[in-house]
Amino acid sequence: MLDYNDVEDASDAMVTLIAYDRVPTSEADANNADIALSVHLALDGVPLFDNYGVCFAGVAQTPGPDGTFDPDLRGLMDPHVAVLRDGGYGIVATRTARGGGDDGSRASSVLLLRTEDFVTYTELGLLDLGVTHGVGSPALSGAGEGYVLRWHDDTGAAWHARLDRFATDAAVSEPVQGDVPIDGEVDADSTLASAIPNLRSGNTIAIPAALAASLRERLGPVVNTGAANLPDVVVSVGATLSAADLPARRGLTYSDGSTGSLAIAWDEGAIATLDTSAPGEYLITGTMRQPVYPTPFADERADPSIVPFDYNGRRVFLSIATKDLNLDPIANDGGPIGMPIRMADSIEALADPHGGAALERDVLVAGDVDAHGGVMTGCFWAPEIHEIGGELSILFMPSYDGEDGRTNMWTGRASIIQLRRDAEGRHLDPTDPASWTAAQHVTRADGSALNDRAGISLDMTYLEDAGTHYYAWQMLGSIFIATMDPAEPTRLTSEPVRILAPVYAWDNTIAEGPNLHIRDGRVFMLYSGSTVGDRYTTGLAIAESGADLTDPTAWTRLNRPLQKSGPYNGEYQLGTGHGMWSWDEDGNQLYVFHARTDHLGLTGRDTFVRRVHWAADGLPRLDMETGEELAPEFREVAVRVRVEARA
């Protein structure tokens, strides 16, 4: 493994890294206090990750059984990074309550974090300095075999002490009043600071160029840098040539060393007129197929699900979503309440601008009665389409009237409907409400409610991994999972287990919308954090395929969001989240999600669709822009066809 701290010629191989926090502005800037009060990074004055936080303070204690609440969440201020004696980097900061207030630790303690690569971080915890006068603006520097830590008390006076090691149980010398010089501190009024919007405080260190390059690849854009040469196609004299005889895809290479490919649309006219009656060489041209989907794809359709489906031998695409007129997913702001499905022969045809809205039909509406005799009156939240035990199924959450006679989201229960078949076993029309079974609640094995503390359960998804079938869903603001049997999809076969609760300010007090995908021996679970509005973000948790996915220790998660509000193809997308994995006509993996816009004067959450790129670090990129996925110089493609006489 490369030792980033062992560089022979530092003068030629070092880059300036800035670690900093920001002055909070607004949710619309994706820079509210939850985001601003975290560790941000820049290289040579250029912010990484769209000037968004990359390392966040964790909760002060494990969330209780009812989930995560505001008092549990923490922020950090005045981060200061230093090279550690034993390799890697240490960060000292002041831990705060959510929003930046005093959480009680500032009087005596400093927060310690450690990283080897500025991508993955370990929060070591609080180091008590044995004072009561306040510990602000901490700064760290190597000193002999240990470190010197300097801070300012509540009056602004400087203090310092020596640490024998970088650890929460370090031996701390008697604090001494007085300043000590520590290199690299950034003056908020400096030219360097002014180049970074809203920089609040920070410091600089020199890091090896190899590490800086790795950071740019991880936290900056990955772009298309090359395309594979296509081999000649050889046909015999007199043979008929079709597009199926030509390469179907062209391999692509990227700036981080990753690879990918896109399908090719060949010139059918040139193929049809190619003369194979005598030996010769011909050039057939084509274009890389790179659909750019409308933004938004569908107005006021949140929590979207788009899947390919074999409809009795005809490949179609189905889409379904939560109606979210003017950000009212419960009663749809007075509009028709229901669960809208669309079906078309292509993904593009599902989009509003291509006539998709006209295809839409509600498979359930307010007033429909479920299999238990309950009248469903609202929500129809987060419908997901899956094939479970070979049957097309929709997992969703309806709500029922409360005591006031109005639909009440807290009455919602994770439920399932399945597509019926005719006497010959053929699927009935998915867009016909009569084609679906009556809605049934998904329950525990004993028939009791999933959520025995608050009732509501939602955002259910399905996965088969290594022969074991799972449901994962949200309740109590956290992600739960259990095994199930496709032969009886309305009951769990194990007890619900919480595998993920919000622990960072960016995922706030709710983790929801899980969706799972298996790749290269690992299970990748997308989930959404924060609330349904402008703060929405997408997180990622990973487990080994074949592991017991009901074991919370099987899962690890990113400290930062995988996807967040930010620019995409020249537009700013706000409140991105509740995404799912899917596939397009060419076998490319898709990410289907929602974001906030004011498109057409509407304020609800809209559906978006884009392709997924798998980076060299093994993680998915959900925000690769059109020009990054395919450079303009590689969009046109050609292949040489050689017509040869039979041997």
Side-chain angles (χ1 to χ4, degrees), residues 506-544:
W506 67 260
D507 58 9
N508 207 301
T509 57
I510 299 176
E512 60 186 11
N515 194 263
L516 302 107
H517 168 64
I518 302 169
R519 177 186 168 90
D520 294 337
R522 295 193 292 175
V523 180
F524 293 84
M525 181 173 71
L526 300 174
Y527 70 96
S528 294
S530 195
T531 51
V532 299
D534 294 350
R535 299 185 182 191
Y536 223 36
T537 49
T538 300
L540 179 69
I542 303 173
E544 294 297 317

Side-chain angles (χ1 to χ4, degrees), residues 318-458:
L318 300 173
S319 70
I320 198 165
T322 302
K323 288 187 178 180
D324 195 37
L325 185 61
N326 291 323
L327 206 60
D328 178 12
I330 300 173
N332 207 28
D333 198 33
I337 300 171
M339 192 161 70
I341 196 168
R342 304 179 185 185
M343 183 170 71
D345 291 330
S346 69
I347 291 177
E348 287 186 302
L350 296 170
D352 284 355
H354 299 153
L359 303 175
E360 191 171 272
R361 188 170 182 186
D362 287 332
V363 295
L364 288 172
V365 297
D368 283 345
V369 179
D370 66 21
H372 315 286
V375 179
M376 299 175 287
T377 56
C379 289
F380 299 106
W381 277 0
E384 278 196 8
I385 303 173
H386 295 273
E387 289 197 43
I388 301 176
E391 302 302 323
L392 191 71
S393 308
I394 300 176
L395 300 168
F396 70 103
M397 187 203 83
S399 63
Y400 304 82
D401 282 350
E403 294 181 358
D404 61 358
R406 301 174 62 186
T407 193
N408 185 334
M409 60 175 278
W410 297 102
T411 65
R413 300 292 185 271
S415 302
I416 185 172
I417 59 175
Q418 293 189 301
L419 188 64
R420 302 178 194 271
R421 297 174 183 261
D422 64 17
E424 286 74 41
R426 293 168 57 85
H427 290 108
L428 300 182
D429 180 359
T431 65
D432 183 351
S435 299
W436 296 88
T437 61
Q440 291 182 270
H441 297 163
V442 178
T443 69
R444 296 183 183 225
D446 63 2
S448 62
L450 297 180
N451 187 345
D452 59 359
R453 301 182 71 87
I456 187 173
S457 54
L458 62 156

Side-chain angles (χ1 to χ4, degrees), residues 541-597:
I542 303 173
E544 294 297 317
S545 178
D548 178 5
L549 301 184
T550 68
D551 180 359
T553 64
W555 295 92
T556 58
R557 73 169 91 179
L558 294 185
N559 174 285
R560 69 182 189 278
L562 180 68
Q563 184 204 32
K564 75 280 181 299
S565 298
Y568 182 78
N569 278 357
E571 298 178 352
Y572 197 85
Q573 294 186 339
L574 189 64
T576 58
H578 204 115
M580 67 163 292
W581 309 99
S582 190
W583 304 91
D584 71 6
E585 297 92 330
D586 294 324
N588 301 309
Q589 193 163 23
L590 296 178
Y591 175 55
V592 182
F593 65 103
H594 72 234
R596 289 288 308 282
T597 77

